[in-house]
Amino acid sequence: MAGQDISSVIKKQIEDFKGETSLIDVGVVVEAGDGIAQIHGLSNVKYSELLEFSDGTLGMALNLEEDSVGAVVLGDYLDIKEGDEVKATGRIVEVPVGEALIGRVMDPLGRPLDGKGPIKTNETAPVEKPAPNVVSRKSVDQPVQFGVKVVDALVPVGRGQRELIIGDRNTGKTAVAIDCIINQKGGDLICIYVAIGQKSSKVASVVETLAKYDALDHTFIVTANASDSAPLQYLAPYSGCAMGEFFMDQGKDVLIIYDDLSKHAWAYRQMSLLLRRPAGREAYPGDVFYLHSRLLERAARVDENSGGGSITALPVIETLAGDVSAYVPTNVISITDGQIYLESDLFNSGVRPALNTGLSVSRVGGAAQRKAMKKMAGSLKLELAQYRELAAFAQFGSDDLDEVTKRQLNRGARIVELLKQPQYEPLALEYQVILLYLASEGLLDEINLEDITKYEISWNEHVKSSIPDVLDNIRKSGDLSEADMKKIKKSAEDFNKVFKS
Amino acid sequence: MKNKISPNRYSDAIFRIASEDRNVDEWKDFLKNLEVALSDIEVRSFLEGPKISLSEKIDLFKKAEIEEDNKQFSFLKMLLERNHIFMTGAILQKFNTLLDKSRGIRRAEIISAFPLSNLEISNINQMLNGIVDAEVHSQNIVDRSILGGFIAKFDDQMLDMSFRGKLNQMKQKILE
């Protein structure tokens, strides 16, 4: 734009400018510090209303007391002094919503952080919103394909479900979530990654990864980093959810990842203690359960009358030394519809994703699982359970075991090996089904354990050229017919001969 | 949450008593006199002094010409008993607000860049009367930094008609 154009635009704006004159509520800061301000006045302010400090910083009214208001500062609080004037904006904390969000990185107030210019949306939505009520809900009936074999087979997640990803630090929690986002490429699921209290470098690498795998076309990121103020971290998941609800209301399916809610609880604990609310167990305030339950209740599958969209929530919880009985983990476990439990022992022994198949469950996802996968998963669960039990005995020496036991151990070891999967390499449903079919039919029993990975890669290539019609059938019908099973078996027997030689 | 005692309880109670007894102005004068007396540092340190016993404090008032069976005296005794005598100023302020409210008056500070004439103030008052739906009594304060126009400040409400405010609004609009 030329200099003249800019000046004419500004001139026009000045000419058209009409100031607003109405009575506004004001107050005076009487105490400020640690991101909290006590404000005298503001007698008509509402709970969680946005406040504007004299330097333009925004705040949120939280403690409404008789003649003062306790507010948290959303942003830099070092410039706020005692005696500063505070204006009420009359707006409850809200975020911009719309299609323009997709592909962007923003903070919990919807301000862009990726340097790609302003986010142009016409609508806003309040950050806090009641969850869809009982009448408008529908049970889960469509799957979210993670593209991760072990998850899709053993802990299937349906659209509208809340599935917790829980584990110690460094067990691949984020990796599972990111794989799921990458697998939605070309699909109809809109993904939201909400980073709460994460290192900025980690968020940057997530964004980079998503961009590298072309996943930003259906994804956006809401982030409040470790260096941001606690109130922003507190707001982040609610903002992300409000943005997701916009798409759900349009009948679209949304996947939202809250990474992670332990840090969210810490941020809320900090705020509550500074606001001098009474502390309870582990110094969390009394409403820390409600903090997460009201957030996760907003994940839902709504019926056709309400638009028919869904929000699937994948909250992440980081445990300390595997302690799932700590306050926040137990809370979130009880709110969610199941958990993906990742273990550091498994991770270190090379089982990645380090999913503990015994402790991971999905309470509703089975209803949404594709038929073909369901057929395979039933026997798989049993085989793995038996394997775990026998493996515990067999570690004392396997020489004296009978043939049946040996065969079961052999099969189990191969299944465990088969369920391993490298990061960022999601696998389509049809390939997963065929692989699991091979395992359940014992077609992998003859393959050396260390060759399984190699086998899988060349088999997938082989399938593509030899039985493409079976792949098509599974993809379209979601089922595995008897005829197709026979074709797979025949093809595998041929392939095994070649592979072994 | 902070466990703070608010002076509002006292002012609400005495305003109700005063309205029932129809001696609001007497109470107002009493509170005013008490505040004036407390502005003397010696009186204040005596009345607030933790080492001085309650009976000594009350005896001082008995010596003064205050009837003992008076409600005002009882109120004073209660404040002393509870060590809340320091709240007097706040109680008076709130009492005045309640009084104004009952009489349909709102007090405003008119901040302007230059001193306003009486006529200008009464014009502004008239305009404000319509906006807040009450009789506005105002006081002029000069603040050069608002550049022009005026700001009317009620207790915790504000009407910004200053040039500074308008310029800020315009800046925000253009930035949007």
Side-chain angles (χ1 to χ4, degrees):
Chain A
M1 211 187 268
Q4 245 177 347
D5 293 339
I6 297 174
S7 64
S8 68
V9 166
I10 293 176
K11 212 168 147 188
K12 173 120 181 44
Q13 274 182 320
I14 293 174
E15 274 165 11
D16 294 346
F17 174 73
K18 282 196 192 78
E20 285 161 34
T21 44
S22 58
L23 274 179
I24 47 173
D25 285 308
V26 287
V28 176
V29 176
V30 287
E31 199 186 316
D34 301 320
I36 303 290
Q38 285 291 335
I39 299 158
H40 188 84
L42 288 174
S43 54
N44 295 319
V45 82
K46 295 190 280 283
Y47 185 80
S48 97
E49 182 169 334
L50 271 183
L51 308 175
E52 195 186 328
F53 291 91
S54 49
D55 64 340
T57 315
L58 291 176
M60 179 170 64
L62 278 185
N63 273 2
L64 308 182
E65 287 161 36
E66 187 169 8
D67 42 23
S68 71
V69 171
V72 290
V73 184
L74 303 169
D76 189 13
Y77 54 80
L78 296 175
D79 290 334
I80 292 165
K81 302 181 297 295
E82 186 254 321
D84 277 0
E85 197 167 78
V86 187
K87 286 182 200 159
T89 58
R91 291 180 293 148
I92 300 294
V93 177
E94 57 190 11
V95 284
V97 294
E99 298 284 343
L101 296 174
I102 294 173
R104 303 299 303 266
V105 182
M106 65 210 95
D107 78 351
L109 294 174
R111 295 177 292 207
L113 296 173
D114 51 5
K116 291 185 191 165
I119 299 173
K120 290 191 182 109
T121 57
N122 302 323
E123 283 178 63
T124 57
V127 161
E128 293 273 4
K129 223 178 181 183
N133 70 13
V134 183
V135 183
S136 62
R137 282 174 191 257
K138 206 171 95 172
S139 51
V140 170
D141 56 3
Q142 272 182 47
V144 174
Q145 293 296 345
F146 270 59
V148 179
K149 281 171 282 183
V150 64
V151 176
D152 283 339
L154 298 173
V155 271
V157 176
R159 295 188 178 188
Q161 191 181 341
R162 298 153 300 173
E163 181 79 8
L164 171 66
I165 302 176
I166 187 169
D168 278 9
R169 73 195 152 72
N170 234 329
T171 47
K173 301 183 295 297
T174 307
V176 171
I178 297 299
D179 272 357
C180 182
I181 294 182
I182 292 173
N183 192 45
Q184 307 312 322
K185 198 167 105 181
D188 55 351
L189 209 57
I190 292 163
C191 304
I192 307 170
Y193 180 77
V194 182
I196 309 151
Q198 303 279 0
K199 293 186 281 277
S200 308
S201 59
K202 186 183 168 184
V203 179
S205 81
V206 166
V207 175
E208 205 175 296
T209 309
L210 292 178
K212 189 175 156 195
Y213 292 93
D214 295 328
L216 280 179
D217 300 336
H218 60 269
T219 309
F220 60 92
I221 292 131
V222 179
T223 173
N225 300 332
S227 59
D228 288 327
S229 66
L232 279 178
Q233 295 182 31
Y234 158 75
L235 271 183
Y238 301 103
S239 316
C241 193
M243 292 168 181
E245 276 164 352
F246 167 81
F247 295 103
M248 179 173 78
D249 292 342
Q250 293 185 333
K252 294 180 182 165
D253 292 323
V254 179
L255 172 81
I256 180 161
I257 291 148
Y258 305 114
D259 196 0
D260 66 76
L261 290 188
S262 321
K263 293 194 183 73
H264 182 237
W266 294 348
Y268 187 57
R269 174 168 64 183
Q270 179 188 330
M271 273 167 59
S272 300
L273 291 175
L274 291 171
L275 282 165
R276 296 178 210 179
R277 292 178 176 177
R281 183 178 156 190
E282 291 176 28
Y284 289 108
D287 61 342
V288 75
F289 183 85
Y290 180 58
L291 174 81
H292 290 148
S293 65
R294 73 170 191 271
L295 171 71
L296 294 170
E297 269 300 289
R298 286 162 76 177
R301 169 144 200 92
V302 293
D303 61 14
E304 303 306 324
N305 300 331
S306 312
S310 74
I311 292 184
T312 312
L314 296 179
V316 176
I317 287 277
E318 186 176 296
T319 52
L320 292 171
D323 183 14
V324 287
S325 59
Y327 195 21
V328 176
T330 42
N331 280 352
V332 183
I333 286 173
S334 73
I335 302 163
T336 47
D337 307 312
Q339 67 270 358
I340 292 173
Y341 185 63
L342 303 170
E343 257 181 5
S344 29
D345 285 352
L346 286 172
F347 187 86
N348 293 334
S349 64
V351 181
R352 296 175 196 181
L355 190 137
N356 180 320
T357 46
L359 293 177
S360 302
V361 287
S362 171
R363 283 176 220 155
V364 294
Q369 206 172 17
R370 292 258 183 258
K371 260 189 191 153
M373 190 52 110
K374 213 174 204 169
K375 276 182 195 165
M376 298 303 124
S379 58
L380 192 71
K381 262 181 212 161
L382 202 68
E383 301 253 21
L384 273 173
Q386 284 172 341
Y387 169 67
R388 267 199 309 276
E389 210 149 282
L390 291 174
F393 281 108
Q395 60 186 339
F396 299 113
S398 56
D399 298 341
D400 312 331
L401 295 172
D402 62 298
E403 277 310 307
V404 180
T405 315
K406 269 187 186 164
R407 206 171 57 227
Q408 269 181 344
L409 281 172
N410 192 25
R411 173 82 54 90
R414 269 152 195 78
I415 293 176
V416 170
E417 200 61 32
L418 185 71
L419 290 178
K420 289 182 187 173
Q421 194 171 342
Q423 212 175 342
Y424 313 136
E425 287 177 24
L427 198 62
L429 171 81
E430 49 274 22
Y431 291 99
Q432 293 187 24
V433 169
I434 294 175
L435 278 170
L436 294 176
Y437 176 74
L438 297 190
S440 67
E441 286 296 307
L443 288 161
L444 298 180
D445 292 358
E446 305 292 307
I447 311 293
N448 285 332
L449 204 54
E450 51 273 20
D451 290 338
I452 294 280
T453 321
K454 214 163 67 187
Y455 179 90
E456 188 189 332
I457 296 167
S458 26
W459 165 254
N460 285 342
E461 283 303 317
H462 171 75
V463 167
K464 226 183 278 177
S465 52
S466 69
I467 43 170
D469 51 325
V470 177
L471 287 175
D472 266 354
N473 287 346
I474 301 174
R475 196 182 305 130
K476 280 180 194 145
S477 67
D479 202 356
L480 185 61
S481 62
E482 290 291 335
D484 284 343
M485 282 185 197
K486 271 183 199 143
K487 274 188 200 164
I488 297 169
K489 202 167 179 180
K490 166 110 197 4
S491 176
E493 279 161 358
D494 297 343
F495 179 77
N496 283 1
K497 274 178 215 151
V498 182
F499 186 80
K500 270 186 265 176
S501 60
Chain B
M1 241 163 269
K2 271 189 279 184
N3 196 11
K4 251 186 355 192
I5 297 136
S6 163
N8 297 2
R9 303 273 169 280
Y10 291 116
S11 36
D12 283 349
I14 57 175
F15 185 74
R16 213 175 292 169
I17 292 172
S19 313
E20 278 168 15
D21 296 351
R22 294 171 193 281
N23 59 350
V24 177
D25 288 315
E26 257 174 61
W27 272 95
K28 189 179 168 183
D29 291 340
F30 164 74
L31 286 171
K32 234 185 218 164
N33 289 337
L34 189 61
E35 208 203 359
V36 172
L38 281 170
S39 62
D40 186 330
I41 191 82
E42 274 181 41
V43 177
R44 197 179 186 104
S45 51
F46 175 78
L47 288 176
E48 288 180 7
K51 284 186 180 167
I52 300 155
S53 75
L54 182 66
S55 53
E56 276 179 86
K57 290 177 189 172
I58 292 173
D59 281 343
L60 182 85
F61 283 101
K62 278 183 185 165
K63 277 178 202 156
E65 294 166 5
I66 298 176
E67 296 165 43
E68 275 185 54
D69 57 345
N70 190 320
K71 282 181 186 168
Q72 288 165 0
F73 188 67
S74 312
F75 173 64
L76 193 60
K77 244 174 29 185
M78 186 169 72
L79 284 186
L80 286 170
E81 264 170 32
R82 298 185 173 189
N83 284 328
H84 283 168
I85 194 85
F86 70 92
M87 283 185 184
T88 311
I91 296 173
L92 173 64
Q93 211 181 355
K94 177 76 184 168
F95 187 85
N96 280 334
T97 320
L98 289 170
L99 187 62
D100 286 344
K101 204 175 160 192
S102 71
R103 292 178 177 168
I105 296 172
R106 284 194 77 172
R107 291 187 193 273
E109 281 177 0
I110 309 253
I111 304 166
S112 58
F114 303 97
L116 297 174
S117 70
N118 284 341
L119 180 70
E120 284 168 323
I121 289 184
S122 72
N123 279 344
I124 291 174
N125 281 351
Q126 215 139 52
M127 185 203 86
L128 293 176
N129 286 349
I131 295 178
V132 298
D133 204 16
E135 192 185 325
V136 176
H137 290 205
S138 58
Q139 193 190 346
N140 186 208
I141 291 172
V142 176
D143 178 1
R144 299 296 288 262
S145 73
I146 72 161
L147 305 174
F150 71 91
I151 297 174
K153 242 183 182 172
F154 299 91
D155 289 333
D156 55 0
Q157 283 189 312
M158 185 176 86
L159 184 71
D160 192 348
M161 310 263 286
S162 69
F163 287 0
R164 186 181 62 186
K166 294 268 184 246
L167 285 172
N168 277 339
Q169 275 185 26
M170 198 188 287
K171 187 170 125 191
Q172 293 259 314
K173 268 266 153 60
I174 291 174
L175 282 178
E176 275 172 21

